[in-house]
Amino acid sequence: MPADPPHRAGTPQRSTTSQPPSGSGTSAIEVRRSARRRRTVSAYREGDRTVVLIPARMSEAEEQRWVTVMLDKLAAQENKRVLGDAELAERARRLSEQYFDGRARPASVRWVTNQNTRWGSCTPAEGSIRLSHRLQGMPEYVVDYVLCHELAHLLVPGHGPQFWRLLDAYPRTERARGYLEGVAAAERLPHAPDPHEE
């Protein structure tokens, strides 16, 4: 759903403010409930705050789910600018410093267009990391997770317990994996027939 501009004055609503999930890059989230809003959910940035507009009748669980969805959508929109290979390599360096004490030192980090069944790959002997172009435009924490995954392979080549313990340093591992699993599952779903194609 697209980001909306601020609501019209006079719309009855209730507002709550909370701290965002760690690593979202936003200082606060304000949820505004509106009795006039029936089904749509939207969000926009207001300074360092994210405002999420939801229908008043929504449950707390639905609110939490939609806040997460809208934060991801906004992050993806803001991440549309594609990082170049040099920026990607710099990002990998910063992640290595932050989560692996700088021990993972790739010789090269770059985007590739020939990886359609993997999100990333690493050749530890060469120190090279390649990320699928399919990650471009996904939320920043998802790209960071894939980078961390490949950086961890520079230190531990396989997927054994030592590898996963090392990757546990990245705090959004489970969320990013869930996001990627969702994308992969959606790609396997049959597309709904277009009623105009009959």
Side-chain angles (χ1 to χ4, degrees):
M1 293 180 192
D4 273 358
H7 65 283
R8 289 188 301 271
T11 303
Q13 56 190 7
R14 209 173 63 218
S15 179
T16 58
T17 302
S18 63
Q19 290 305 310
S22 61
S24 71
T26 305
S27 66
I29 300 163
E30 181 178 342
V31 177
R32 295 181 185 165
R33 290 176 172 264
S34 170
R36 296 182 77 176
R37 190 173 279 270
R38 297 286 178 225
R39 289 191 303 259
T40 60
V41 176
S42 60
Y44 61 93
R45 303 281 193 213
E46 192 174 79
D48 64 351
R49 172 185 304 267
T50 299
V51 177
V52 181
L53 307 171
I54 64 172
R57 63 176 172 67
M58 222 176 240
S59 71
E60 291 295 320
E62 288 175 309
E63 174 184 319
Q64 289 177 359
R65 184 177 73 82
W66 276 107
V67 165
T68 299
V69 166
M70 297 313 290
L71 286 174
D72 286 348
K73 278 185 151 321
L74 283 173
Q77 289 170 0
E78 293 163 356
N79 204 34
K80 286 286 187 205
R81 186 181 74 80
V82 176
L83 297 175
D85 289 348
E87 293 167 304
L88 200 60
E90 174 57 24
R91 193 157 172 173
R93 186 197 63 73
R94 284 196 316 268
L95 290 167
S96 176
E97 288 292 330
Q98 187 172 1
Y99 299 112
F100 306 115
D101 298 320
R103 294 179 296 132
R105 295 188 187 105
S108 68
V109 183
R110 61 191 174 94
W111 295 108
V112 294
T113 57
N114 62 350
Q115 289 190 112
N116 293 316
T117 58
R118 294 189 223 186
W119 299 113
S121 62
C122 174
T123 307
E126 298 172 2
S128 62
I129 291 175
R130 294 161 303 282
L131 263 56
S132 172
H133 71 287
R134 295 165 59 225
L135 290 164
Q136 294 171 345
M138 288 190 187
E140 193 172 281
Y141 75 91
V142 175
V143 176
D144 286 352
Y145 162 72
V146 177
L147 277 171
C148 283
H149 185 106
E150 302 310 332
L151 286 165
H153 277 310
L154 292 177
L155 304 172
V156 179
H159 286 107
Q162 185 183 0
F163 172 83
W164 292 111
R165 277 194 302 273
L166 190 61
L167 195 52
D168 278 345
Y170 182 64
R172 302 186 83 184
T173 290
E174 287 307 311
R175 185 171 181 204
R177 289 184 71 194
Y179 184 98
L180 292 171
E181 286 169 7
V183 170
E187 288 175 352
R188 288 190 297 270
L189 290 174
H191 295 287
D194 186 338
H196 302 294
E197 286 182 0
E198 297 187 10

